[in-house]
């Protein structure tokens, strides 16, 4: 679905401020895949995803979306239809007078008829947990930050781009709201969408991603299934990331010589590993 080949991005090339933000990144995202991009702050995550919808153009290398090169102006003009990008803090970009109009914006640009728009907007609001009758007529500016975030997300969901790219969609939200958004994104994947999410929440990445890609200083540092990537806590710590707590615990036990598996992602899996150490239900030797 998205093919990144030897992508280098330098902001303001040729000026004293030139900074290589991505260097020779190659990546392939398959149709229907759920990919999480992780990495310390400034590692290049936002710069990378802004190439997926042609907002940024490669300094070197190329990006193909559905086989079409984003350097082609005609391709770029239409790219938003295929790739819906939700920016970091999207609530700062709301501008319509009411929630309905805000969510309908992308659908209107697609030229859909009013009946279809109405159905899609209602559905999108329901998906993000905002009751359409109650919220549809409110000004987006009368909502809380978390609600505004949901409105922005609904605006992308409503026009149904095949690829959803979300830059830290859950930052600043409470655990229940975060969970709801991840569940909803998983549901979108089950309906055939490709989902790419930037997040600093490694627990969520472990639970929902098919593949985790870790960036470090503008390069791909690790990529693989959550089990593969989170099986190496020290490697991740070295680039400023942590691993989900159950995995960290198993890793430490293993270092003390106990025969537990590493690459553990959930508390249930950790419990099963501990039970292997004390199958009769007696106290675990290390506890
Ligand atoms: N508009 C810009 N002009 C110049 N340099 C930029 C610009 N945007 C980002 N950079 C630089 O590019 C590098 C990568 O930034 P980017 O925003 O892609 O990182 P990130 O991994 O998304 O960070 P965060 O997790 O903090 O959002 C950083 O060194 C940053 O200073």
């Amino acid at each position: 679905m998205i093919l990144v080949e030897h992508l280098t991005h330098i902001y303001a090339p040729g000026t004293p401020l030139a900074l290589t933000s991505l260097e020779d990144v190659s990546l392939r995202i398959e149709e229907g895949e759920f990919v999480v991009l992780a990495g310390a702050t400034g590692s290049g995550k936002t710069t990378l995803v802004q190439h997926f919808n042609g907002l940024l153009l490669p300094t070197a290398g190329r990006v193909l979306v559905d086989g079409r090169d984003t350097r082609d102006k005609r391709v770029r003009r239409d790219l938003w239809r295929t790739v819906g990008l939700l920016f970091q803090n999207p609530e700062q970009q709301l501008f319509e007078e009411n929630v309905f109009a805000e969510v309908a914006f992308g659908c209107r640009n697609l030229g859909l008829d009013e009946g279809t728009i109405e159905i899609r907007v209602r559905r999108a609001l329901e998906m993000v947990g905002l009751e359409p009758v109650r919220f549809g007529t409110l000004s987006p500016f009368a909502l809380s930050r978390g609600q505004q975030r949901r409105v922005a997300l609904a605006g992308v969901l409503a026009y149904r781009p095949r690829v959803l790219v979300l830059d830290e969609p859950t930052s600043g939200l409470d655990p229940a709201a975060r969970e709801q958004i991840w569940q909803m994104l998983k549901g979108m994947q089950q309906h055939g969408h490709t989902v790419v999410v930037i997040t600093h929440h490694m627990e969520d990445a472990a639970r929902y991603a098919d593949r985790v890609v870790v960036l470090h200083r503008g390069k791909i540092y690790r990529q693989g299934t959550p089990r593969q990537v989170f099986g190496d806590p020290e490697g991740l710590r070295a680039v400023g990331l942590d691993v989900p707590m159950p995995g960290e615990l198993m890793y430490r036990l293993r270092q003390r010589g106990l025969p537990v598996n590493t690459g553990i992602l959930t508390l249930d899996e950790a419990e099963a590993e501990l039970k292997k150490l004390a199958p009769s239900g007696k106290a675990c030797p290390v506890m």
Side-chain angles (χ1 to χ4, degrees):
M1 189 73 223
I2 296 177
L3 187 60
V4 177
E5 290 182 332
H6 303 290
L7 170 63
T8 291
H9 187 86
I10 301 176
Y11 285 98
T15 74
L17 289 174
L19 227 180
T20 306
S21 295
L22 288 177
E23 197 180 337
D24 197 22
V25 169
S26 293
L27 177 69
R28 190 188 174 95
I29 297 175
E30 304 294 341
E31 180 146 29
E33 207 180 1
F34 197 125
V35 175
V36 161
L37 285 180
T41 197
S43 56
K45 305 178 296 295
T46 298
T47 305
L48 176 59
V49 298
Q50 291 192 350
H51 284 80
F52 295 173
N53 75 342
L55 205 64
L56 290 178
L57 289 178
T59 309
R62 62 179 191 162
V63 176
L64 305 183
V65 176
D66 214 10
R68 294 178 303 159
D69 193 323
T70 62
R71 291 172 303 181
D72 182 333
K73 214 187 247 176
R74 283 162 308 170
V75 169
R76 260 199 327 278
R77 210 171 36 223
D78 267 358
L79 216 48
W80 67 273
R81 293 170 187 262
T82 313
V83 182
L85 174 63
L86 189 75
F87 291 94
Q88 242 175 71
N89 304 318
E91 58 278 9
Q92 290 166 3
Q93 283 154 19
L94 302 177
F95 62 95
E96 292 283 0
E97 65 183 24
N98 63 51
V99 166
F100 186 94
E102 189 68 57
V103 178
F105 183 78
C107 295
R108 288 202 205 290
N109 280 346
L110 280 182
L112 300 175
D113 64 79
E114 281 305 311
T116 308
I117 292 177
E118 166 112 27
I119 293 168
R120 286 197 178 193
V121 170
R122 283 173 161 275
R123 178 81 193 102
L125 284 172
E126 281 163 5
M127 284 170 83
V128 298
L130 296 176
E131 213 265 295
V133 176
R134 181 164 160 229
F135 287 93
T137 55
L138 295 181
S139 161
F141 305 101
L143 305 179
S144 75
R145 195 159 75 91
Q147 289 167 334
Q148 288 177 336
R149 178 86 54 91
R150 288 165 189 236
V151 169
L153 182 53
V156 178
L157 298 179
Y159 81 86
R160 303 184 185 171
R162 280 165 61 203
V163 185
L164 292 163
V165 180
L166 304 106
D167 195 344
E168 300 193 37
T170 60
S171 68
L173 299 185
D174 63 48
R178 263 170 45 198
E179 174 75 14
Q180 192 183 13
I181 285 181
W182 283 104
Q183 291 278 0
M184 193 268 305
L185 292 174
K186 201 69 192 169
M188 295 301 285
Q189 183 197 19
Q190 279 152 6
H191 279 92
H193 293 262
T194 305
V195 183
V196 181
V197 184
I198 294 178
T199 187
H200 290 280
H201 293 288
M202 294 303 108
E203 255 96 9
D204 295 334
R207 285 178 64 199
Y208 291 99
D210 297 327
R211 186 150 57 104
V212 179
V213 177
V214 180
L215 288 179
H216 177 57
R217 296 191 179 152
K219 294 185 175 171
I220 293 186
Y221 176 73
R222 294 274 195 284
Q223 64 171 312
T225 62
R227 226 172 268 292
Q228 290 166 336
V229 170
F230 294 126
D232 174 23
E234 284 185 359
L236 291 186
R237 255 195 301 279
V239 297
L241 294 181
D242 54 11
V243 302
M245 186 53 82
E248 179 72 43
L249 178 63
M250 290 305 116
Y251 183 77
R252 288 188 189 190
L253 292 179
R254 179 103 181 175
Q255 280 192 317
R256 289 192 189 187
L258 289 162
V260 292
N261 282 322
T262 52
I264 291 296
L265 299 178
T266 65
L267 278 175
D268 286 345
E269 287 175 354
E271 194 180 357
E273 286 298 311
L274 291 177
K275 277 188 180 146
K276 280 201 274 177
L277 295 178
S280 61
K282 288 186 194 140
C284 169
V286 289
M287 306 188 84

